[in-house]
């Protein structure tokens, strides 16, 4: 077989060249010549397609052996080289140490930690749901059947295996209730995905915090008082809030909560669309259909749920006007959150 001769030639040539290598750079060049993606070994692999089905496994085996042989030779060479370097290097202990820079906590993480803190103070614990989830957890169990128009509210990334990238943290509600008996008192932060046009206001991924409270005799006024407490803790005692009726398939009745942001500056006018009010979350009483789906007794239990957009809150708290800043990893931006 021609290829077997080639393999032997390459091995001999390699050994010869390796014996002439004088430093790490040359070793690197040698490694590239033989083992890189366009290297000699790779080019032999491409010849495999031309072989008969009997020859192919034999040649494949030999080629793999060659690759391992070259790799081993090069690694052991590096060891020798670097131990030589160690011996020959003098260390000057009087030199000042390298100045390692401290990182900063990402503004979105900061916001999540702050919100977690607010809810933990009143007895909520933290739960998590998966970012890749089945249609059932992200939609069906939340009372959003296939072909329901409410699916249009969330532009979804469907994966080839039939799963979805979760479009909201509400999937965590279902996971938690499936795994735990009531009473439930959790918040569930996390990343969510939607196939939206990227702009100053929206991105293909963002973050939410889900809240879920289930017990006997839970009422809408419990929901209002907890969310008002949340707004006061976050924005200060004299924050003004309002609840507007809304629609979510998994809550009934549903509402959105706005905070009064004021109209003091041009930017206030812009972000509140001239009203002074800004929506910060969706909420409502858990729909009995959802309880049925997780096998909770809906004649015994009631509950409320809410979903808060983290980016929205972080933009308000830190005066960030372009949502894309959060995802660039630009240290000039992130360094301001020390
Ligand atoms: N999942 C909703 C969304 O992403 C937000 C939401 C609304 C969550 C109401 C809730 C809720 O838990 O009760 O738009």
């Amino acid at each position: 077989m021609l290829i077997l001769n080639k393999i032997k030639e390459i091995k001999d040539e390699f050994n010869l060249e390796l014996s002439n290598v004088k430093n790490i750079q040359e070793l690197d060049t040698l490694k590239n010549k033989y083992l890189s993606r366009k290297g000699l070994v790779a080019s032999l692999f491409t010849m495999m397609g031309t072989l008969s089905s009997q020859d192919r496994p034999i040649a494949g085996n030999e080629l793999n052996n060659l690759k391992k042989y070259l790799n081993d030779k090069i690694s052991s060479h590096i060891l020798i080289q670097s131990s030589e370097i160690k011996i020959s290097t003098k260390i000057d202990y009087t030199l000042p140490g390298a100045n390692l820079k401290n990182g900063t906590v990402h503004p979105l993480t900061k916001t999540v930690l702050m919100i977690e803190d607010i809810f933990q103070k009143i007895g909520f614990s933290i739960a998590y749901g998966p970012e890749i989830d089945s249609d059932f957890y992200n939609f069906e169990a939340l009372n959003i059947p296939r072909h329901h128009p409410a699916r249009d509210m969330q532009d979804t990334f469907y994966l080839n295996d039939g799963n979805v990238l979760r479009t909201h943290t509400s999937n965590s509600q279902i996971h938690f209730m499936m795994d735990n008996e009531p009473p439930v008192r959790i918040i569930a932060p996390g990343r969510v995905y939607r196939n939206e046009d990227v702009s100053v206001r929206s991105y293909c991924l963002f973050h939410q915090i889900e809240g879920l409270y289930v017990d006997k005799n839970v009422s809408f006024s419990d929901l209002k008082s907890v969310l008002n407490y949340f707004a006061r803790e976050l924005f200060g005692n004299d924050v003004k809030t309002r609840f507007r009726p809304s629609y979510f398939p998994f809550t009934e009745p549903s509402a959105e909560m706005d905070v009064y942001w004021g109209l003091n500056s041009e930017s206030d006018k812009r972000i509140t669309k001239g009203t002074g009010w800004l929506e910060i979350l969706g909420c409502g009483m858990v729909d009995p259909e959802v309880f049925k789906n997780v096998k909770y007794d809906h004649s015994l239990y009631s509950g409320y749920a809410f979903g808060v957009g983290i980016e929205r809150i972080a933009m308000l708290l830190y005066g960030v006007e372009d949502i894309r800043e959060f995802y660039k990893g630009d240290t000039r931006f992130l360094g301001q959150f020390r």
Side-chain angles (χ1 to χ4, degrees), residues 153-154 167-170 173 194 206 208-211 248 250-251 254-255 281-285 304-308:
M153 293 160 78
Q154 306 184 345
T167 55
H168 50 188
T169 44
S170 303
Q173 290 187 29
R194 287 190 204 170
F206 54 100
Q208 293 184 329
I209 285 197
E210 194 78 11
F248 300 102
F250 34 91
T251 46
S254 305
L281 57 86
C283 61
M285 302 305 292
Y304 60 75
F306 52 89
V308 188

Side-chain angles (χ1 to χ4, degrees), residues 22-50:
K22 284 189 288 298
N23 53 41
I24 300 261
Q25 284 77 19
E26 286 183 17
L27 190 65
D28 221 40
T29 314
L30 185 71
K31 183 174 178 186
N32 266 333
K33 175 174 169 188
Y34 285 87
L35 290 167
S36 67
R37 240 164 10 106
K38 294 209 168 107
L40 290 172
V41 174
S43 74
L44 284 187
F45 270 107
T46 61
M47 284 174 64
M48 297 271 291
T50 64

Side-chain angles (χ1 to χ4, degrees), residues 106-108 191-192 198-207 310-312 315 320 322-330 333-334:
H106 193 282
L108 294 177
R191 182 179 284 186
V192 304
V198 171
S199 74
V200 182
R201 320 267 323 151
S202 66
Y203 202 66
C204 48
L205 62 89
F206 54 100
H207 299 75
I310 304 297
E311 275 78 354
R312 169 61 68 88
M315 288 167 93
V320 176
D322 186 337
I323 196 171
R324 292 168 295 191
E325 292 297 342
F326 291 124
Y327 317 108
K328 285 183 188 159
D330 185 335
F333 171 73
L334 298 174

